[in-house]
Amino acid sequence: MGHTTMKSELTPVTCDVLVVGGGPAGSTISTLLVEQGWTVHILEKDPYPRFHIGESLLPQSLPILKQLGVLADVERIGIIKYGAEMISHRYGRAQMFYFSKAFDESQPYAFEVKRSEFDAILLKNAIAKGVTVHEGVKAQRVEFRPGQTSLVHTEDRDGRPRTWDAKFVVDASGRDTFLSNQLGGKRRSPDHSSAAIFGHFEGVERLPGKDEGNITAGWLDDGWCWLIPFKDGTTSVGVVCHPDYIKSRTAPLDQFLLDTLRQSPPIARRMEQAKPLTQTYAAANFSYRRDTMSGDGYLMVGDAFAFIDPVFSSGVHLALNSGTRGATVVDAYLRQSPDYAARLQEFERMVRRGIKTFSWFIHRFNQPAFQSLFVSTNRPPKIERAVLSLLAGDVFAQSQTRIPLFCFKVVYYAVFVLNWKENWAVARRRKQGPRTTVTEVKDYAVNQVNASR
């Protein structure tokens, strides 16, 4: 994608909406706003395409991809994912969850995609719809002027300053959390922190038949792991573990990943013929959230507001949803609509509800009580369908899932108490948080610390 040049570096570039970040959230909100007739510019500091995880899409994201007009393109690059396999070597069982059995049966599958290809589709679609994208331009700060437009001060890759004059600013900067860094208010989660090691492999054994494209998530002694198959026969493989465990490694990062996967014999068997295709990456998965996600003339979408562990593939789903619903907020603001306050309130309620629902399950995912319930063959049908609805991404309306998910939580606490010593030991380790930071993070992928130690 080409870098857009401007007529003058001194004259401010004017637009209705300036979006910082061209990932899924930024591309989505930009596309929908330009379709409403607004002039929209995206600032993207990094070149596309780029490596990223978050490769397993959720069924409830597909209607948004259809709305954006990219579903056919995503289908072309993706492999169909009908469900998710959960493996617990602690209990010696595996369970397959099929999305077709969720409460909303209209979305029975999703796709596994390489994020470099998926993100590029969304950004190219935004450009085709009329969004102007500027690559190699980094936003540095916003000069908010109450009652007026905002001035966004930037710098290009050659260090030249540029200023943008925008009626509205959208922070879609992902884990760079551009506005949070300027305004403050971002808080690390006291309940959850972890670190991930991951890469792409060939030769990973696949599930048979229609399950070939399904994600596999397996519990480990020190965390959990994923196997995500791609259309070209390669596989994304990763582990998410407590930072202190990763800090304890003495082997090189690539060998440490393989050694950790051996904690799950079924996963290790599927990795016997595997060969790495990429370097092994490390990233800190520290969950965070900002106190507020909006202010006069600005809005935060996707990871720019909050980030949670990727165990339920929630990142892209939350980004697409916040981008879609956030577009209605920005449109109402620009039109000075009397509905603006109501739309903003509903947007914030939706985002917080989705994050809260996912977070409860994510924070307890490694608990023995949670494992036993997920691989149990005796779950009541309505609780089963509610869990499947969660896995499918149906976390916003929740009309049918609310009571069954509440029942799941009640059962979970009962199972926790029955085996309280083991469960409390795991819970205490999680709540203590990391004593060490193992990596530097640059939007997931990238700076390894002592990778070849």
Side-chain angles (χ1 to χ4, degrees), residues 23 95-96 109 174 177 189 202 212 217 245 249 258 281-282 314 329 345 399 404 406 410 412 435 443:
Q95 188 81 303
M96 186 71 75
Y109 63 87
T177 58
S189 169
E202 63 180 353
E212 180 186 5
Y245 166 74
R249 74 180 175 88
L258 297 175
Y281 296 97
S314 58
V329 175
Q345 185 179 39
S399 54
F406 174 78
V410 171
Y412 164 81
R435 291 184 293 275
D443 194 18

Side-chain angles (χ1 to χ4, degrees), residues 214-450:
N214 293 357
I215 183 175
T216 295
W219 282 280
L220 307 172
D221 295 336
D222 293 287
W224 66 277
C225 64
W226 76 75
L227 301 179
I228 298 174
F230 297 130
K231 196 168 189 174
D232 63 2
T234 63
T235 304
S236 172
V237 179
V239 299
V240 177
C241 301
H242 195 276
D244 283 348
Y245 166 74
I246 294 182
K247 187 69 175 181
S248 72
R249 74 180 175 88
T250 55
L253 202 58
D254 53 355
Q255 186 60 49
F256 187 74
L257 170 59
L258 297 175
D259 291 344
T260 304
L261 291 169
R262 292 193 182 99
Q263 294 180 11
S264 174
I267 298 292
R269 283 194 292 272
R270 290 180 59 183
M271 291 292 294
E272 285 177 353
Q273 305 299 320
K275 296 179 181 178
L277 292 172
T278 66
Q279 71 180 90
T280 301
Y281 296 97
N285 274 344
F286 301 134
S287 299
Y288 59 79
R289 190 179 309 180
R290 193 172 185 273
D291 295 337
T292 58
M293 65 185 79
S294 64
D296 187 23
Y298 74 85
L299 190 71
M300 299 175 183
V301 292
D303 288 352
F305 166 66
F307 172 78
I308 51 180
D309 188 288
V311 62
F312 291 119
S313 306
S314 58
V316 171
H317 187 58
L318 290 170
L320 293 172
N321 275 274
S322 63
T324 301
R325 300 178 194 227
T328 67
V329 175
V330 179
D331 178 69
Y333 178 93
L334 293 172
R335 295 187 190 281
Q336 298 181 326
S337 168
D339 295 335
Y340 168 68
R343 288 188 184 186
L344 178 61
Q345 185 179 39
E346 176 55 29
F347 167 79
E348 296 203 0
R349 185 185 302 119
M350 178 277 298
V351 172
R352 293 182 190 278
R353 180 188 296 151
I355 290 172
K356 181 180 179 182
T357 303
F358 276 125
S359 294
W360 188 94
F361 285 83
I362 287 169
H363 293 164
R364 291 157 181 83
F365 185 72
N366 285 323
Q367 292 294 145
F370 195 94
Q371 289 188 46
S372 67
L373 285 176
F374 253 67
V375 296
S376 170
T377 55
N378 297 314
R379 285 185 303 272
K382 283 198 173 182
I383 291 182
E384 169 102 0
R385 297 189 78 182
V387 169
L388 281 161
S389 297
L390 171 86
L391 294 176
D394 188 4
V395 296
F396 300 111
Q398 293 186 303
S399 54
Q400 290 179 286
T401 64
R402 192 166 296 159
I403 293 177
L405 284 180
F406 174 78
C407 293
F408 179 94
K409 294 176 182 180
V410 171
V411 175
Y412 164 81
Y413 287 120
V415 175
F416 185 105
V417 170
L418 287 173
N419 191 11
W420 70 271
K421 283 188 178 180
E422 186 179 28
N423 280 286
W424 177 245
V426 175
R428 185 174 55 201
R429 185 184 187 194
R430 172 174 62 83
K431 287 182 178 296
Q432 282 175 344
R435 291 184 293 275
T436 55
T437 300
V438 296
T439 60
E440 296 174 5
V441 179
K442 184 183 177 184
D443 194 18
Y444 255 124
V446 179
N447 296 327
Q448 298 180 53
V449 173
N450 300 325

Side-chain angles (χ1 to χ4, degrees), residues 136-155:
V137 179
K138 183 177 182 180
Q140 294 182 309
R141 66 183 178 88
V142 180
E143 185 180 333
F144 292 106
R145 303 183 297 175
Q148 304 180 62
T149 56
S150 295
L151 297 178
V152 183
H153 301 278
T154 73
E155 188 176 88

Side-chain angles (χ1 to χ4, degrees), residues 157-189:
R157 55 171 60 100
D158 296 320
R160 291 175 300 205
R162 288 169 174 167
T163 303
W164 306 73
D165 189 333
K167 297 176 184 175
F168 199 96
V169 178
V170 174
D171 184 2
S173 61
R175 284 163 34 111
D176 284 351
T177 58
F178 163 62
L179 277 181
S180 286
N181 292 342
Q182 176 179 329
L183 302 174
K186 184 176 83 172
R187 303 181 187 279
R188 278 269 297 273
S189 169

